[in-house]
Amino acid sequence: RGREPISAKLVADLMTTAGVTRVVTVDLHAGQIQGFFDIPVDHLAAAPVLANYFREQAIEDLVVVSPDLGGVTRARIMADFLHAPIAIIDYAQDDSERSQGYIIGEVEGKKAILIDDILNTGRTFSEAAKIVEREGATEIYAVSSHGLFVEGAAELLDNTNIKEILVTDSVATKEKTPKNVCYITASELIGDAIVRIHERKPVSPLFAYNKKK
């Protein structure tokens, strides 16, 4: 939007000026941020790490749900790992409270996985959970790459019907977290990337599009 600063570009320039020569990161809020850097950026996806949890639990009849139109690509990556369909929640343009959201796809009788990159206030997951439950989902999970849990998020999410909330340990927070939160470590993914860089091996095998098996 007009007059909005592109703060990520400033951060990229500051990091480069400080002497950073390469960046390894997990799930940028917008993939285009990679282009703000004049140094190599390895953009890893948390989807394989989070998807493994559902594989290990052998949870069936899954559907991956994007809580808004902007997260469709993210939902598709997760769905490909789990060999599951996707659904998308959309909202009327005048629906300021998001109470009348509707689903593109099918969730009735299925276990829904809500997916987002950043869990900040918890409002997105809270509203999405109400909608998928209304449309007949039997169980609801929420997964996010980065759990910030700003003040009030824990209370909001504790009052939802979400069975479990999965986030990676990419961010350390002192905020109160929901009772049903489960941390999944991304250390192996990041560590593997760092080792490959130091050993001058390709990092591309770690990217999401190379691991959809």
Side-chain angles (χ1 to χ4, degrees):
R1 292 178 289 183
R3 298 184 180 276
E4 279 202 357
I6 305 178
S7 302
K9 174 57 177 172
L10 173 61
V11 173
D13 290 344
L14 289 171
M15 292 174 67
T16 304
T17 301
V20 174
T21 58
R22 187 162 185 163
V23 173
V24 178
T25 186
V26 177
D27 283 339
L28 293 167
H29 187 55
Q32 295 88 336
I33 293 174
Q34 296 176 82
F36 295 169
F37 289 86
D38 297 322
I39 56 178
V41 176
D42 298 297
H43 186 200
L44 308 176
V49 177
L50 296 168
N52 280 341
Y53 173 85
F54 294 98
R55 286 175 171 173
E56 292 170 358
Q57 299 295 319
I59 301 174
E60 299 180 348
D61 296 323
L62 292 170
V63 57
V64 181
V65 182
S66 173
D68 53 47
L69 292 175
V72 174
T73 300
R74 191 177 305 113
R76 170 54 63 194
I77 292 173
M78 173 69 84
D80 284 348
F81 278 106
L82 296 173
H83 303 290
I86 72 167
I88 306 162
I89 298 178
D90 199 8
Y91 304 89
Q93 292 184 352
D94 58 350
D95 186 15
S96 59
E97 297 300 322
R98 294 193 166 192
S99 58
Q100 300 301 317
Y102 60 92
I103 296 180
I104 303 170
E106 182 62 54
V107 300
E108 185 175 1
K110 295 181 178 293
K111 300 177 179 68
I113 301 175
L114 305 173
I115 183 170
D116 207 351
D117 58 339
I118 300 173
L119 202 170
N120 194 26
T121 65
R123 181 171 176 265
T124 298
F125 279 154
S126 176
E127 295 299 327
K130 296 175 185 176
I131 295 169
V132 295
E133 181 185 36
R134 186 185 71 205
E135 296 299 321
T138 58
E139 287 182 0
I140 303 171
Y141 299 85
V143 302
S144 181
S145 304
H146 313 295
L148 302 183
F149 300 109
V150 299
E151 186 175 354
E155 289 78 6
L156 182 62
L157 292 167
D158 281 339
N159 288 319
T160 68
N161 54 349
I162 297 175
K163 182 175 181 178
E164 197 164 24
I165 300 170
L166 275 66
V167 295
T168 76
D169 54 358
S170 65
V171 179
T173 178
K174 295 182 180 180
E175 302 288 349
K176 181 181 178 181
T177 58
K179 297 176 182 177
N180 59 347
V181 70
C182 176
Y183 280 93
I184 307 295
T185 185
S187 59
E188 184 177 348
L189 174 67
I190 298 171
D192 197 356
I194 294 172
V195 169
R196 286 173 176 272
I197 291 169
H198 279 278
E199 294 182 351
R200 299 184 181 278
K201 295 179 179 179
V203 181
S204 56
L206 303 181
F207 298 153
Y209 54 76
N210 281 336
K211 299 189 73 175
K212 297 174 184 176
K213 296 180 181 179

